[in-house]
Amino acid sequence: MTEKRRMAFTTELKTRAVEENNEAFIEGYFVVYSSETELWEGAFEEIQAGALDESIANNNVVALDNHDTRIVLGSTDSRTVELKSDEKGLWARIKIDLEDPNAKSAYQKVKNGLVRGCSFGFNPLEETIENREDGSVKWIVTKAEILEISTTVFPAYTDTSVEARHKQFDELSTRNKQRNLQTRKAKLKERIKTWH
């Protein structure tokens, strides 16, 4: 069973105002592909290019301010969020409703440089696991369902978003330790045979 995860980045979100139409936009890369992010010491994750393509074509993706579902900045269904996936990552343009005080406030925070981070919520659907020689683990997400993008003050993982990964990491560590023990036992048996 997949659980919703969040991945965060520090990027340069930009604001743009079109004065004659009284329109305002927040735009930038909300996901950076092939960028390794450390979840915690020894555990890494990255999103592969193309992993979100199918999802953005078929799902409604909402834009939030600081992951707050009460502050919806826009959505793809309402055509207030435009998404494009390229080799760098997932670029988004959010059309801001300046009549909405919460949306206007979120826009001003990005414009003034108070908010530089962004994040996205997703369900990993397909992934590969890379067990490294130094004992660290890396998850490479090759296919995911994107649920939301968000501007965020603190672009970092929250405890709840890494809980599922922690469980996987612990299981992998236990398996690796058991495998190493079996290998050591086999080598020791071989050595004992050569002594006789």
Side-chain angles (χ1 to χ4, degrees), residues 73-89:
L73 303 177
S75 71
T76 52
D77 275 2
S78 69
R79 296 179 191 267
T80 51
V81 173
E82 179 188 350
L83 299 174
K84 286 182 190 167
S85 179
D86 60 26
E87 59 283 340
K88 181 179 177 179

Side-chain angles (χ1 to χ4, degrees), residues 8-14 26-30 65-66 106 109-119 150-155:
F9 300 92
T10 301
T11 62
E12 288 304 311
L13 293 178
K14 295 186 174 93
I26 294 173
E27 57 188 30
Y29 281 93
F30 281 76
D65 181 36
N66 216 31
K109 284 183 236 170
V110 173
K111 184 179 180 182
N112 297 336
L114 295 171
V115 173
R116 287 209 175 111
C118 55
S119 179
S150 182
T151 58
T152 181
V153 179
F154 301 109

